[in-house]
Amino acid sequence: MATAVAGPEIERLIQLLSRLPGLGPRSARRAALHLIKKREALMAPLASALQVAIERIQVCKTCGNIDTQNPCTVCTDPRRDPAIIVVVADVADLWALERAHASNGRYHVLGATLSPLDGVGPQDLTIDALVARAHDPQVSEIVLALNATVDGQTTAHYITDLLMEANVKVTRLAHGVPVGGELDYLDEGTLSAAMRQRTLF
Amino acid sequence: MATAVAGPEIERLIQLLSRLPGLGPRSARRAALHLIKKREALMAPLASALQVAIERIQVCKTCGNIDTQNPCTVCTDPRRDPAIIVVVADVADLWALERAHASNGRYHVLGATLSPLDGVGPQDLTIDALVARAHDPQVSEIVLALNATVDGQTTAHYITDLLMEANVKVTRLAHGVPVGGELDYLDEGTLSAAMRQRTLF
Ligand SMILES: [Zn+2]
Ligand SMILES: [Zn+2]
């Protein structure tokens, strides 16, 4: 902000909040005011939740998930199928699949997708660790749950090539019509993929 | 969220973040992940900025502004004109006027606007304190800087009636074409007000 209208402490809070994805300068100001008005009900609990997170959250050394235990809850859950590893770009994708109860396997978080234009190469991703896990005789399937974007598919091809020598089946998510989606609004690539991969009713 | 995919500490952080205006459940998850990834650069500074705010921010006992000093910076600034009190519904409006350098006066934060439908009556606003301030012989003008909504204008009329006996001029913000606004997109009420209140070029 050009002018500090609210004292340096509040300006600092607004400035930090504005760095959260989804909050611009205007909504950061609104969020700061809301926090200040809800000091006991929201600001204090948020401050302590952040402090707990700072102290306790770790990156799982096996899969790259984040959790307060290491290895993470998913990696140590005996009900999870150790034969399947679902490869995701980001922890947000892991969370999305977990919310959908989409898989009973374990995960591998790459940390990003390959993006030559942005200077993201294989060494920036946890690909070596994935290849090592794929050679575990327990593992029989690697599901590439990557975005259906150019970078996602480039990454999928790159990993598929590296896994040629591992004794695993490499699969990917189906393309198709989103649940609730209207055909009218879908692009042609999705529609033709959905037609090719049509299933029995 | 239906399922806790990330441990109770992270779920708690997401749940608190989702209560900020502007962040829904999805963006709260994204914000939580962003914080966790930027533990040193963002999460720790935010936790401490919140702690500082919790400990130091107060409501100005004179005007209702929030600040780390009481009376606030505006109320104690000798360069401010003590003859003018700008009445706003909310601290957010005060901040907006300050960013615009719109006034050299002081402020009075009502806390809300009258809203019979929502059960907000005069006793919920700091109207008594405003009337008392208006009777200060130093004060000669009360500027009603309230939203141009039904509730805002109801509040303006209510306050104007109460101030009849005080020796002050009661003014309100002009209606007109927003700077950069296109006539084509403006409602008829704004356009006719802008025409009535036209000024010399
Ligand atoms: Zn794990
Ligand atoms: Zn004040």
Side-chain angles (χ1 to χ4, degrees), chain A residues 98-181:
Chain A
E98 283 294 289
R99 285 198 302 279
H101 304 288
S103 169
N104 192 38
R106 292 176 181 169
Y107 290 95
H108 190 86
V109 180
L110 294 174
T113 45
L114 295 176
S115 182
L117 289 177
D118 297 323
V120 181
Q123 71 290 348
D124 299 310
L125 276 53
T126 60
I127 290 179
D128 291 349
L130 172 62
V131 173
R133 291 180 73 189
H135 280 86
D136 181 331
Q138 271 199 313
V139 174
S140 63
E141 181 178 357
I142 305 287
V143 184
L144 300 176
L146 299 169
N147 287 338
T149 57
V150 171
D151 287 349
Q153 296 314 300
T154 302
T155 311
H157 284 297
Y158 183 87
I159 290 174
T160 305
D161 287 347
L162 285 180
L163 292 178
M164 291 278 273
E165 285 163 32
N167 187 26
V168 290
K169 181 168 62 172
V170 180
T171 60
R172 60 174 181 133
L173 299 182
H175 289 304
V177 181
V179 176

Coordinates of all heavy atoms in Angstrom, one line a residue, chain A residues 98-181:
Chain A
E98 N -7.7 -37.9 -2.1 CA -8.1 -38.5 -0.8 C -9.5 -38.1 -0.5 O -10.3 -38.9 0.0 CB -7.2 -38.1 0.3 CG -5.8 -38.8 0.4 CD -6.1 -40.3 0.7 OE1 -6.4 -40.6 1.9 OE2 -5.9 -41.1 -0.2
R99 N -9.9 -36.8 -0.7 CA -11.2 -36.4 -0.5 C -12.2 -37.2 -1.3 O -13.3 -37.5 -0.9 CB -11.4 -34.9 -0.8 CG -10.8 -34.0 0.2 CD -11.3 -32.6 0.1 NE -11.1 -32.0 -1.2 CZ -10.0 -31.5 -1.6 NH1 -8.9 -31.4 -0.8 NH2 -9.8 -31.0 -2.8
A100 N -11.8 -37.6 -2.6 CA -12.6 -38.3 -3.5 C -12.6 -39.8 -3.1 O -13.3 -40.6 -3.8 CB -12.2 -38.1 -4.9
H101 N -11.8 -40.2 -2.2 CA -11.6 -41.7 -1.9 C -11.3 -42.4 -3.2 O -11.9 -43.4 -3.5 CB -12.8 -42.3 -1.2 CG -13.2 -41.6 0.0 ND1 -12.5 -41.7 1.2 CD2 -14.3 -40.7 0.3 CE1 -13.1 -40.9 2.1 NE2 -14.1 -40.3 1.6
A102 N -10.4 -41.8 -4.0 CA -10.3 -42.2 -5.4 C -9.4 -43.5 -5.4 O -9.4 -44.2 -6.4 CB -9.7 -41.1 -6.2
S103 N -8.5 -43.7 -4.4 CA -7.6 -44.8 -4.5 C -7.3 -45.3 -3.1 O -7.4 -44.6 -2.1 CB -6.3 -44.3 -5.1 OG -5.3 -45.3 -5.0
N104 N -7.0 -46.6 -3.1 CA -6.6 -47.3 -1.8 C -5.1 -47.5 -1.8 O -4.6 -48.2 -0.9 CB -7.3 -48.6 -1.7 CG -7.2 -49.1 -0.3 OD1 -7.2 -48.4 0.7 ND2 -7.0 -50.5 -0.2
G105 N -4.4 -46.9 -2.8 CA -2.9 -47.1 -2.8 C -2.2 -46.1 -2.0 O -2.8 -45.4 -1.2
R106 N -0.9 -46.0 -2.2 CA -0.1 -45.0 -1.5 C 0.2 -43.9 -2.6 O -0.2 -44.0 -3.7 CB 1.1 -45.6 -0.9 CG 0.7 -46.5 0.3 CD 1.8 -47.3 0.9 NE 1.3 -48.1 2.0 CZ 2.0 -49.0 2.6 NH1 3.3 -49.3 2.3 NH2 1.4 -49.7 3.6
Y107 N 1.0 -42.9 -2.2 CA 1.3 -41.8 -3.1 C 2.7 -41.6 -3.3 O 3.6 -42.1 -2.5 CB 0.7 -40.5 -2.5 CG -0.9 -40.5 -2.5 CD1 -1.6 -41.0 -1.4 CD2 -1.5 -40.2 -3.7 CE1 -3.0 -41.0 -1.4 CE2 -2.9 -40.2 -3.7 CZ -3.6 -40.6 -2.6 OH -5.0 -40.6 -2.6
H108 N 3.0 -40.8 -4.3 CA 4.3 -40.2 -4.5 C 4.2 -38.8 -5.0 O 3.6 -38.6 -6.1 CB 5.2 -41.0 -5.4 CG 6.6 -40.6 -5.4 ND1 7.6 -41.1 -4.5 CD2 7.3 -39.7 -6.2 CE1 8.7 -40.5 -4.7 NE2 8.6 -39.7 -5.7
V109 N 4.7 -37.8 -4.2 CA 4.5 -36.4 -4.6 C 5.8 -35.9 -5.3 O 6.9 -35.9 -4.7 CB 4.3 -35.5 -3.3 CG1 4.1 -34.1 -3.7 CG2 3.1 -36.0 -2.5
L110 N 5.6 -35.5 -6.6 CA 6.8 -35.1 -7.4 C 7.2 -33.7 -6.9 O 8.4 -33.4 -7.1 CB 6.4 -35.1 -8.8 CG 6.1 -36.4 -9.5 CD1 5.6 -36.2 -10.9 CD2 7.3 -37.3 -9.5
G111 N 6.4 -32.9 -6.5 CA 6.7 -31.5 -6.1 C 6.4 -30.5 -7.1 O 6.3 -29.3 -6.9
A112 N 6.3 -31.0 -8.4 CA 6.0 -30.1 -9.5 C 5.8 -30.9 -10.7 O 5.9 -32.2 -10.7 CB 7.1 -29.1 -9.7
T113 N 5.6 -30.3 -11.9 CA 5.7 -31.0 -13.2 C 6.8 -30.5 -13.9 O 7.2 -29.3 -13.7 CB 4.3 -30.9 -14.0 OG1 3.9 -29.5 -14.0 CG2 3.2 -31.8 -13.4
L114 N 7.3 -31.2 -14.9 CA 8.4 -30.7 -15.7 C 7.9 -29.6 -16.5 O 6.8 -29.6 -17.0 CB 8.9 -31.8 -16.7 CG 9.5 -33.1 -16.1 CD1 9.8 -34.1 -17.2 CD2 10.8 -32.7 -15.4
S115 N 8.7 -28.5 -16.6 CA 8.3 -27.3 -17.3 C 9.5 -26.6 -17.9 O 10.0 -25.7 -17.3 CB 7.5 -26.4 -16.4 OG 7.0 -25.3 -17.1
P116 N 10.0 -27.1 -19.0 CA 11.2 -26.5 -19.6 C 11.2 -25.0 -19.7 O 12.1 -24.3 -19.4 CB 11.3 -27.2 -21.0 CG 10.4 -28.4 -20.9 CD 9.4 -28.1 -19.9
L117 N 10.0 -24.5 -20.0 CA 9.9 -23.0 -20.2 C 10.1 -22.3 -18.9 O 10.6 -21.2 -18.9 CB 8.5 -22.6 -20.8 CG 8.3 -23.0 -22.2 CD1 6.9 -22.6 -22.7 CD2 9.3 -22.3 -23.1
D118 N 9.7 -22.9 -17.8 CA 9.9 -22.3 -16.5 C 11.2 -22.8 -15.8 O 11.4 -22.5 -14.6 CB 8.7 -22.6 -15.5 CG 7.4 -22.0 -16.1 OD1 7.5 -20.9 -16.6 OD2 6.4 -22.7 -15.9
G119 N 12.0 -23.5 -16.5 CA 13.3 -24.0 -16.0 C 13.1 -25.1 -14.9 O 14.0 -25.3 -14.1
V120 N 12.0 -25.8 -15.0 CA 11.8 -27.0 -14.1 C 12.2 -28.2 -14.8 O 11.5 -28.7 -15.7 CB 10.3 -27.1 -13.6 CG1 10.2 -28.2 -12.6 CG2 9.9 -25.7 -12.9
G121 N 13.3 -28.8 -14.4 CA 13.8 -30.1 -15.0 C 13.6 -31.2 -14.1 O 13.2 -31.1 -12.9
P122 N 14.0 -32.4 -14.5 CA 13.8 -33.7 -13.8 C 14.5 -33.6 -12.4 O 14.0 -34.2 -11.4 CB 14.5 -34.7 -14.6 CG 14.5 -34.2 -16.0 CD 14.6 -32.7 -15.9
Q123 N 15.6 -32.9 -12.3 CA 16.4 -32.8 -11.0 C 15.6 -32.1 -10.0 O 15.9 -32.1 -8.8 CB 17.8 -32.2 -11.2 CG 17.8 -30.7 -11.5 CD 17.3 -30.4 -12.9 OE1 17.1 -31.3 -13.8 NE2 17.0 -29.1 -13.2
D124 N 14.6 -31.3 -10.4 CA 13.8 -30.5 -9.4 C 12.6 -31.3 -8.9 O 11.9 -30.9 -8.0 CB 13.2 -29.3 -10.1 CG 14.3 -28.3 -10.6 OD1 15.2 -28.0 -9.8 OD2 14.3 -27.9 -11.8
L125 N 12.4 -32.5 -9.5 CA 11.3 -33.4 -9.0 C 11.8 -34.6 -8.3 O 13.0 -34.9 -8.4 CB 10.5 -33.9 -10.2 CG 9.4 -32.9 -10.8 CD1 9.9 -31.5 -11.1 CD2 8.8 -33.6 -12.0
T126 N 11.0 -35.3 -7.5 CA 11.5 -36.5 -6.8 C 11.4 -37.7 -7.6 O 10.9 -38.8 -7.2 CB 10.6 -36.6 -5.5 OG1 9.2 -36.8 -5.9 CG2 10.7 -35.4 -4.6
I127 N 11.9 -37.6 -8.9 CA 11.7 -38.7 -9.8 C 12.6 -39.9 -9.5 O 12.2 -41.0 -9.5 CB 12.0 -38.2 -11.3 CG1 10.8 -37.3 -11.7 CG2 12.1 -39.4 -12.2 CD1 10.9 -36.7 -13.1
D128 N 13.9 -39.6 -9.0 CA 14.8 -40.7 -8.7 C 14.2 -41.5 -7.5 O 14.2 -42.8 -7.6 CB 16.1 -40.1 -8.2 CG 16.9 -39.5 -9.3 OD1 16.5 -39.7 -10.5 OD2 17.9 -38.8 -9.0
A129 N 13.6 -40.9 -6.6 CA 13.0 -41.6 -5.5 C 11.8 -42.5 -5.9 O 11.6 -43.6 -5.5 CB 12.5 -40.6 -4.4
L130 N 11.0 -41.9 -6.9 CA 9.9 -42.7 -7.5 C 10.4 -43.9 -8.2 O 9.9 -45.0 -8.0 CB 9.1 -41.8 -8.4 CG 8.0 -42.6 -9.2 CD1 7.0 -43.1 -8.3 CD2 7.4 -41.6 -10.2
V131 N 11.5 -43.8 -9.0 CA 12.0 -44.9 -9.7 C 12.5 -46.0 -8.7 O 12.2 -47.2 -8.9 CB 13.2 -44.5 -10.7 CG1 13.9 -45.7 -11.3 CG2 12.6 -43.6 -11.7
A132 N 13.2 -45.5 -7.6 CA 13.6 -46.5 -6.6 C 12.4 -47.2 -6.0 O 12.4 -48.5 -5.8 CB 14.4 -45.7 -5.5
R133 N 11.4 -46.5 -5.7 CA 10.2 -47.2 -5.1 C 9.5 -48.1 -6.1 O 9.0 -49.2 -5.7 CB 9.1 -46.1 -4.7 CG 9.6 -45.2 -3.5 CD 8.5 -44.2 -3.1 NE 7.3 -44.8 -2.5 CZ 6.2 -44.2 -2.2 NH1 6.0 -42.9 -2.6 NH2 5.2 -44.8 -1.6
A134 N 9.6 -47.8 -7.4 CA 8.9 -48.7 -8.4 C 9.7 -50.0 -8.5 O 9.1 -51.0 -9.0 CB 8.9 -47.9 -9.7
H135 N 10.9 -50.0 -8.1 CA 11.7 -51.3 -8.1 C 11.5 -52.2 -6.9 O 12.0 -53.3 -6.9 CB 13.2 -51.0 -8.3 CG 13.6 -50.7 -9.7 ND1 13.5 -49.4 -10.3 CD2 14.0 -51.5 -10.8 CE1 13.8 -49.4 -11.5 NE2 14.1 -50.7 -11.9
D136 N 10.7 -51.7 -5.9 CA 10.3 -52.5 -4.8 C 9.5 -53.6 -5.3 O 8.4 -53.3 -6.0 CB 9.6 -51.6 -3.8 CG 9.2 -52.4 -2.5 OD1 8.9 -53.6 -2.6 OD2 9.0 -51.7 -1.5
P137 N 9.8 -54.9 -5.0 CA 9.0 -56.0 -5.6 C 7.5 -56.0 -5.1 O 6.7 -56.5 -5.8 CB 9.7 -57.3 -5.1 CG 10.9 -56.8 -4.3 CD 11.0 -55.3 -4.3
Q138 N 7.2 -55.3 -4.0 CA 5.8 -55.2 -3.6 C 5.0 -54.4 -4.5 O 3.8 -54.5 -4.6 CB 5.8 -54.4 -2.2 CG 5.9 -55.2 -1.0 CD 5.4 -54.4 0.2 OE1 5.8 -53.3 0.4 NE2 4.6 -55.0 1.0
V139 N 5.6 -53.5 -5.3 CA 4.9 -52.5 -6.1 C 4.6 -53.1 -7.5 O 5.6 -53.5 -8.2 CB 5.7 -51.2 -6.2 CG1 5.0 -50.2 -7.2 CG2 5.9 -50.5 -4.9
S140 N 3.4 -53.0 -7.9 CA 3.0 -53.6 -9.2 C 2.4 -52.6 -10.2 O 2.3 -52.8 -11.3 CB 2.1 -54.8 -9.1 OG 0.9 -54.4 -8.5
E141 N 1.9 -51.4 -9.6 CA 1.3 -50.4 -10.5 C 1.7 -49.0 -10.1 O 1.6 -48.7 -8.9 CB -0.2 -50.6 -10.5 CG -0.9 -49.6 -11.4 CD -2.4 -49.7 -11.4 OE1 -3.0 -50.7 -10.8 OE2 -3.1 -48.9 -12.1
I142 N 2.0 -48.2 -11.1 CA 2.2 -46.8 -10.9 C 1.1 -46.1 -11.6 O 1.0 -46.2 -12.8 CB 3.6 -46.4 -11.4 CG1 4.8 -47.2 -10.8 CG2 3.8 -44.9 -11.2 CD1 5.1 -46.9 -9.4
V143 N 0.3 -45.3 -10.9 CA -0.8 -44.5 -11.5 C -0.3 -43.1 -11.6 O -0.1 -42.4 -10.6 CB -2.1 -44.6 -10.6 CG1 -3.2 -43.8 -11.3 CG2 -2.5 -46.0 -10.2
L144 N -0.2 -42.6 -12.8 CA 0.2 -41.2 -13.1 C -1.0 -40.3 -13.0 O -1.8 -40.2 -13.9 CB 0.9 -41.1 -14.4 CG 2.2 -42.0 -14.5 CD1 2.8 -41.8 -15.9 CD2 3.2 -41.6 -13.5
A145 N -1.2 -39.7 -11.8 CA -2.4 -38.8 -11.6 C -2.0 -37.4 -11.8 O -1.9 -36.6 -10.8 CB -3.0 -39.1 -10.3
L146 N -1.6 -37.1 -13.0 CA -1.0 -35.7 -13.3 C -2.0 -34.9 -14.1 O -2.9 -35.5 -14.8 CB 0.3 -35.9 -14.1 CG 1.4 -36.7 -13.3 CD1 2.5 -37.0 -14.2 CD2 1.8 -35.8 -12.1
N147 N -1.9 -33.6 -14.1 CA -2.8 -32.7 -14.8 C -2.8 -33.1 -16.3 O -1.8 -33.5 -16.8 CB -2.4 -31.3 -14.6 CG -2.7 -30.7 -13.3 OD1 -3.5 -31.3 -12.6 ND2 -2.0 -29.7 -12.9
A148 N -4.0 -32.9 -16.9 CA -4.1 -33.2 -18.3 C -3.6 -31.9 -19.1 O -4.3 -31.5 -20.1 CB -5.5 -33.5 -18.7
T149 N -2.5 -31.4 -18.7 CA -1.9 -30.2 -19.4 C -0.7 -30.7 -20.1 O -0.2 -31.8 -20.0 CB -1.5 -29.2 -18.4 OG1 -0.6 -29.8 -17.4 CG2 -2.7 -28.7 -17.6
V150 N -0.1 -29.8 -20.9 CA 1.1 -30.1 -21.6 C 2.2 -30.5 -20.7 O 2.8 -31.6 -20.8 CB 1.6 -28.9 -22.5 CG1 3.0 -29.2 -23.1 CG2 0.6 -28.7 -23.6
D151 N 2.4 -29.7 -19.6 CA 3.5 -30.0 -18.6 C 3.2 -31.4 -17.9 O 4.1 -32.2 -17.7 CB 3.6 -28.9 -17.6 CG 4.3 -27.7 -18.2 OD1 4.8 -27.7 -19.3 OD2 4.2 -26.6 -17.5
G152 N 1.9 -31.6 -17.6 CA 1.6 -32.8 -16.9 C 1.8 -34.0 -17.8 O 2.4 -35.0 -17.3
Q153 N 1.5 -33.9 -19.0 CA 1.6 -35.1 -19.9 C 3.1 -35.3 -20.3 O 3.6 -36.4 -20.5 CB 0.7 -34.9 -21.2 CG -0.8 -34.9 -20.8 CD -1.1 -36.1 -19.8 OE1 -0.9 -37.2 -20.1 NE2 -1.6 -35.7 -18.6
T154 N 3.9 -34.2 -20.4 CA 5.3 -34.3 -20.6 C 5.9 -35.1 -19.5 O 6.7 -36.0 -19.7 CB 5.9 -32.9 -20.7 OG1 5.3 -32.1 -21.8 CG2 7.4 -32.9 -20.9
T155 N 5.5 -34.7 -18.3 CA 6.1 -35.4 -17.1 C 5.7 -36.9 -17.1 O 6.5 -37.7 -16.8 CB 5.5 -34.7 -15.8 OG1 5.7 -33.3 -15.9 CG2 6.2 -35.2 -14.6
A156 N 4.4 -37.1 -17.5 CA 3.9 -38.5 -17.5 C 4.8 -39.4 -18.5 O 5.2 -40.5 -18.2 CB 2.5 -38.6 -17.9
H157 N 5.0 -38.8 -19.7 CA 5.8 -39.5 -20.7 C 7.3 -39.8 -20.2 O 7.8 -40.8 -20.3 CB 5.9 -38.7 -22.0 CG 4.6 -38.8 -22.8 ND1 4.1 -40.0 -23.3 CD2 3.7 -37.9 -23.1 CE1 2.9 -39.8 -23.9 NE2 2.6 -38.6 -23.8
Y158 N 7.8 -38.7 -19.6 CA 9.2 -38.8 -19.1 C 9.3 -39.9 -18.0 O 10.2 -40.8 -18.1 CB 9.6 -37.5 -18.5 CG 11.1 -37.4 -18.0 CD1 12.1 -37.1 -18.9 CD2 11.4 -37.7 -16.7 CE1 13.4 -37.1 -18.5 CE2 12.7 -37.7 -16.2 CZ 13.7 -37.4 -17.1 OH 15.0 -37.4 -16.7
I159 N 8.3 -40.0 -17.1 CA 8.4 -41.0 -16.1 C 8.1 -42.4 -16.6 O 8.8 -43.4 -16.3 CB 7.3 -40.6 -15.0 CG1 7.8 -39.4 -14.2 CG2 7.1 -41.8 -14.0 CD1 6.8 -38.9 -13.2
T160 N 7.2 -42.5 -17.6 CA 6.9 -43.8 -18.2 C 8.1 -44.4 -18.8 O 8.4 -45.6 -18.7 CB 5.8 -43.6 -19.3 OG1 4.6 -43.0 -18.6 CG2 5.3 -44.9 -19.8
D161 N 8.9 -43.5 -19.5 CA 10.1 -44.0 -20.1 C 11.1 -44.5 -19.1 O 11.7 -45.6 -19.3 CB 10.8 -42.9 -20.9 CG 10.1 -42.5 -22.2 OD1 9.2 -43.3 -22.6 OD2 10.4 -41.5 -22.8
L162 N 11.2 -43.8 -18.0 CA 12.2 -44.2 -16.9 C 11.7 -45.5 -16.3 O 12.6 -46.3 -15.7 CB 12.3 -43.1 -15.9 CG 13.1 -41.9 -16.2 CD1 13.1 -40.9 -15.0 CD2 14.5 -42.3 -16.6
L163 N 10.4 -45.8 -16.3 CA 9.9 -47.0 -15.6 C 9.9 -48.2 -16.5 O 9.4 -49.3 -16.0 CB 8.5 -46.7 -15.0 CG 8.5 -45.6 -13.9 CD1 7.1 -45.4 -13.4 CD2 9.3 -46.0 -12.7
M164 N 10.3 -48.1 -17.7 CA 10.3 -49.2 -18.6 C 11.0 -50.4 -18.0 O 10.6 -51.6 -18.2 CB 11.1 -48.8 -19.9 CG 10.4 -47.8 -20.8 SD 9.1 -48.5 -21.8 CE 10.2 -49.0 -23.3
E165 N 12.1 -50.2 -17.3 CA 12.9 -51.3 -16.8 C 12.3 -51.8 -15.4 O 12.8 -52.9 -15.0 CB 14.4 -50.9 -16.6 CG 15.1 -50.8 -17.9 CD 16.4 -50.0 -17.8 OE1 17.0 -50.1 -16.7 OE2 16.7 -49.3 -18.8
A166 N 11.5 -51.1 -14.8 CA 10.9 -51.6 -13.6 C 9.7 -52.5 -13.9 O 9.1 -52.4 -14.9 CB 10.4 -50.4 -12.7
N167 N 9.5 -53.5 -13.0 CA 8.5 -54.5 -13.3 C 7.1 -54.0 -12.8 O 6.5 -54.6 -11.9 CB 8.9 -55.8 -12.6 CG 8.0 -56.9 -13.0 OD1 7.4 -56.9 -14.1 ND2 7.8 -57.9 -12.1
V168 N 6.6 -52.9 -13.4 CA 5.4 -52.3 -12.9 C 4.5 -52.0 -14.2 O 5.0 -51.7 -15.3 CB 5.6 -51.0 -12.1 CG1 6.2 -51.3 -10.8 CG2 6.4 -50.0 -12.9
K169 N 3.2 -52.0 -13.9 CA 2.3 -51.5 -14.9 C 2.2 -50.0 -14.7 O 2.0 -49.5 -13.6 CB 0.9 -52.2 -14.7 CG -0.2 -51.8 -15.6 CD -1.4 -52.7 -15.5 CE -2.0 -52.7 -14.1 NZ -3.2 -53.4 -13.9
V170 N 2.3 -49.2 -15.7 CA 2.1 -47.7 -15.6 C 0.7 -47.3 -16.2 O 0.5 -47.6 -17.3 CB 3.2 -46.9 -16.3 CG1 3.0 -45.4 -16.2 CG2 4.6 -47.4 -15.8
T171 N -0.1 -46.7 -15.4 CA -1.4 -46.3 -15.8 C -1.6 -44.8 -15.6 O -0.8 -44.1 -15.0 CB -2.5 -47.0 -15.0 OG1 -2.4 -46.7 -13.6 CG2 -2.4 -48.5 -15.2
R172 N -2.7 -44.3 -16.2 CA -3.0 -42.8 -16.0 C -4.5 -42.7 -15.8 O -5.2 -43.6 -16.1 CB -2.5 -42.0 -17.1 CG -3.1 -42.3 -18.5 CD -2.8 -41.4 -19.6 NE -3.5 -41.8 -20.8 CZ -4.1 -41.0 -21.6 NH1 -4.2 -39.7 -21.3 NH2 -4.8 -41.5 -22.7
L173 N -4.9 -41.5 -15.3 CA -6.3 -41.2 -15.1 C -7.0 -41.2 -16.4 O -6.4 -40.8 -17.4 CB -6.5 -39.9 -14.4 CG -5.9 -39.8 -13.0 CD1 -6.2 -38.4 -12.4 CD2 -6.4 -40.8 -12.1
A174 N -8.3 -41.7 -16.5 CA -9.0 -41.6 -17.7 C -9.4 -40.1 -18.0 O -9.6 -39.3 -17.1 CB -10.3 -42.4 -17.5
H175 N -9.5 -39.9 -19.3 CA -10.1 -38.6 -19.7 C -11.6 -38.9 -19.9 O -12.1 -40.0 -20.1 CB -9.6 -38.2 -21.1 CG -8.2 -37.8 -21.1 ND1 -7.8 -36.7 -20.3 CD2 -7.1 -38.2 -21.8 CE1 -6.5 -36.5 -20.5 NE2 -6.0 -37.4 -21.4
G176 N -12.4 -37.8 -19.8 CA -13.8 -38.0 -20.0 C -14.6 -36.8 -19.5 O -14.1 -35.8 -19.1
V177 N -15.9 -37.0 -19.6 CA -16.9 -35.9 -19.2 C -16.9 -35.8 -17.7 O -17.1 -36.8 -17.0 CB -18.3 -36.3 -19.7 CG1 -19.3 -35.2 -19.3 CG2 -18.3 -36.6 -21.2
P178 N -16.6 -34.6 -17.1 CA -16.7 -34.5 -15.6 C -18.1 -34.8 -15.2 O -19.1 -34.5 -15.9 CB -16.4 -33.0 -15.4 CG -15.8 -32.5 -16.7 CD -16.3 -33.4 -17.8
V179 N -18.2 -35.4 -14.0 CA -19.5 -35.7 -13.4 C -20.3 -34.3 -13.3 O -19.7 -33.4 -12.7 CB -19.4 -36.4 -12.0 CG1 -20.8 -36.5 -11.4 CG2 -18.7 -37.7 -12.2
G180 N -21.5 -34.3 -13.8 CA -22.2 -33.0 -13.7 C -21.9 -32.1 -14.9 O -22.5 -31.0 -15.0
G181 N -20.9 -32.5 -15.7 CA -20.4 -31.6 -16.8 C -21.4 -31.6 -18.0 O -22.1 -32.6 -18.2

